[in-house]
Amino acid sequence: MARDDILSGAVWLAFGLFAIFASSQLEIGTPTAPGPGFVPLWTSMLLTAFSAALLVAAVSGRTPNQKAVQWRSLFHPRVVICLATLAVYLAVVRYVGFFVASAAMLYIFFGLLEPTRWYWRLFAAVLGSALFWFVFHSLLGLDLPKGTLFGFS
Amino acid sequence: MEDVLSNIYLGLTVALQPQNLLYALVGVTLGTLVGVLPGLGPLATIALLLPATYHVEPTAAIILLAGIYYGAMYGGSTTSILLNIAGESATVVTCLDGYQMARKGRAGAALAIAAIGSFVAGTLAVVGLMLLAPPLARVALSFGYPEYVALMITGLVLVMYMTSGSMLKAFMMICVGLLLSMVGQDIISGEFRFDFGVLELTDGISLGAMIMGLFGVSEVIANLTSTNPPQVVTTKFRDLLPTREEWRQSSWPMARGSLLGFFLGLLPGGGAIVASFAAYAMERQISKTPERFGQGAIEGVAAPEAANNSAAGASFIPLLSLGIPTHATMAVIMGALMIHGVEPGPLLIRDHGDLFWGVIVSMYIGNVVLLILNLPLVGLWVQVLRIPYRLLFPLILLFCVVGAYSIDFRLFDVGVMLAAGVAGYLLKRFEYEPAVLVLAFVIGPILERSLRQSLLISDGSFTIFFTRPISATALLICAALLISSLIPAINQRRRQAAAAAAESE
């Protein structure tokens, strides 16, 4: 059964190995004249060694954390919906602009924890987005993302 | 003495400027709000409000962020006493006796003692900060590159030492933080590193976006999985004045809690949280009637409330004089200083005296404001607890988006914040400490520059760090800390081996 530390140790080991590869592409230099790759290379080698130590300890059952990965709780439907909404928001905000994208995002979020009637959610979402737009754009003069489709933020 | 007075005068001229007064007021009010609301700690709030300080003077920014931190210590006690829910982790222990006092109709007295104890302790901490930080910084002014390397390593080891989890994982977080800090242009050769052809990465990873993601967004995501949202249970409180007997019972615990909190605040290891628990344990230990503790003993409110506030103030001393943050919130405030071009450490008091003394005097003012906010206006804060989380979290997330975007007006930073939010959520679930990563990220550039310069000076010899007294002492302390943290694990392993051997026999 997959355990927390085996999984995270393996991920960091891969990250460390990748960092070694990326650092080795830079000029390493010597201790007398260290180059831009000197500290990154040593740091990534240390990370790789620590990750390997964690992985070995986890596989041999010597780490305190012997829990199985709680996939269902880790990727709780609310977490997945929240992250997916934020990712879509990030992708579309440049096209539809701040006001529309934010209202759509708030509409989804307001119904995430408890079911609420759609018209209340819509009202709260539009009001929330308009309030943010007013405070940050109109009052504080912040240049919020403009949408290429509608031409306004 | 004359020096101190002229510095206080300098601080007064800075802190009493209308803009700085306003930021102190906003900071302590937000801090109280955050302290009152369960589930949103001062760390997350400071991270979320970081972008709001980008366009103001550095002094005003630090006054605001410091106000949030010590304001949260005051606000947290209100929730603990009235609702038996810790609004802030440093006030968990206040629930034990504070709520019992509230149930007996002494909520007013508990709130008053908590607020007055916090005020006394907060003021004591500011006096300590004013007297201790400048001489410490003067000593540190003689530091060269090797001493800086040792100091930075000490900072990393101290923060690692305070983490409750695995040392190995803390080491890994340091390496990851250092590697992330190296993205962008190399400060010595000018060469671009780890940008992978992405234009936005040539400037490096935005510290503000990363902090907001790691501590703010990740906390919101984690709260979404909670099956038990905080339930509001109200109780009544009558008058705000403690009786003469209650004053008598709480004055010494308040004094002892302030002193203990101050010394614990200087050390790494959780600052205000540890201080409040230690002060409570000490009072119960020396009490002639320990059985009253947990049943509504006023000493159980006075001591921890004084301790957490003096610890909060004291933790600014190592940060402002040596550049060493003793816990995660201080690491974020250190990041905020660096974003504003102010490097915390020995040079701060000399080069930015107005900032240092301005922040100190604003803390005095902030403590007075907090006393007013937390006693007569306590009813207002209780109303705040009625805002449901389902309405709060979408607005917090939208605020994060606007905050990250406003750093450099790039959607790329919003993406960085989102990625850091996911990373922070996963790191906490897999029992890694993101605070260590952030500290390594913040001090990474200084550490790398000092290390490379030291090696250039010593002609590539690492002995330079052990032949200079200050760096050798600092590294010895690091070694001692590392060894002392390994001893419990070694002992446990020995016991397990002995138990296994006995079983097999």
Side-chain angles (χ1 to χ4, degrees), chain B residues 130-172:
Chain B
M130 196 174 76
L131 297 176
L132 277 182
L136 253 178
R138 268 197 294 277
V139 173
L141 268 179
S142 55
F143 289 3
Y145 286 117
E147 282 80 12
Y148 268 105
V149 172
L151 205 62
M152 293 302 133
I153 292 176
T154 311
L156 286 173
V157 171
L158 286 179
V159 171
M160 210 165 71
Y161 189 70
M162 86 181 184
T163 58
S164 48
S166 148
M167 270 311 235
L168 195 56
K169 288 182 177 178
F171 271 121
M172 288 159 71

Side-chain angles (χ1 to χ4, degrees), chain A residues 3-5 7-9 12 15 18-19 22-23 25-27 31-41 43-44 46-47 50-51 53-54 57 62 64-65 67 69-71 73-76 78-79 82-83 86-87 89-90 93-94 98 102 105-106 109-110 112-114 116 124 128-129 132 136 142-146, chain B residues 55 166 168-169 171-176 178-180 182 186 188-189 191-194 196 217 220-227 389-402 405-406 409 411-412 414-418 421-422 425-427 429-432 437 448 451-453 455-456 459-462 493:
Chain A
R3 289 191 296 258
D4 272 12
D5 284 350
L7 180 69
S8 67
W12 288 123
F15 182 84
F18 174 73
S23 309
Q25 307 295 304
L26 301 162
E27 189 202 329
T32 32
F38 184 81
V39 180
L41 182 67
T43 312
S44 29
L46 276 175
L47 175 63
F50 291 139
S51 311
L54 179 72
R62 283 190 286 115
N65 181 4
K67 289 182 302 193
V69 182
Q70 305 288 316
W71 294 109
S73 139
L74 196 63
F75 295 107
H76 191 286
R78 285 181 196 151
V79 173
C82 176
L83 293 177
L86 280 166
Y89 176 89
L90 196 58
V93 69
R94 66 185 80 230
F98 175 82
S102 301
M105 182 172 79
L106 288 179
F109 284 168
F110 280 138
L112 198 58
L113 291 183
E114 272 175 43
T116 320
S129 182
F132 265 78
F136 289 99
L142 221 67
D143 203 7
L144 294 169
K146 266 198 181 85
Chain B
H55 308 292
S166 148
L168 195 56
K169 288 182 177 178
F171 271 121
M172 288 159 71
M173 285 298 94
I174 288 180
C175 295
V176 175
L178 289 175
L179 282 170
L180 291 176
M182 290 163 197
D186 173 34
I188 294 178
S189 68
E191 195 175 320
F192 290 105
R193 303 187 291 190
F194 310 129
F196 308 110
V217 176
V220 173
I221 298 173
N223 282 339
L224 292 179
T225 63
S226 167
T227 47
Y389 191 68
R390 68 188 159 85
L391 293 181
L392 262 184
F393 96 86
L395 301 175
I396 293 173
L397 281 179
L398 188 56
F399 184 78
C400 289
V401 168
V402 175
Y405 180 75
S406 69
F409 301 101
L411 284 171
F412 181 80
V414 182
V416 168
M417 180 197 69
L418 185 55
V422 177
Y425 169 68
L426 292 175
L427 287 175
R429 291 295 296 259
F430 283 85
E431 296 173 9
Y432 289 83
L437 185 152
E448 187 188 4
L451 178 70
R452 283 164 69 182
Q453 297 284 8
L455 288 174
L456 280 171
D459 217 12
S461 168
F462 283 90
R493 195 156 294 170

Side-chain angles (χ1 to χ4, degrees), chain A residues 136, chain B residues 23 26-27 29-31 33-34 40 42-56 61 64-65 67-68 208 211-212 216 332 336 340 399-400 403 406:
Chain A
F136 289 99
Chain B
Y23 275 93
V26 172
T29 310
L30 278 174
L33 178 71
V34 167
L40 194 67
L43 180 64
T45 313
I46 290 174
L48 295 178
L49 284 176
L50 209 51
T53 69
Y54 285 169
H55 308 292
V56 298
L64 176 84
L65 299 178
I68 293 173
I211 288 176
M212 286 173 72
V332 175
H340 282 278
F399 184 78
C400 289
S406 69

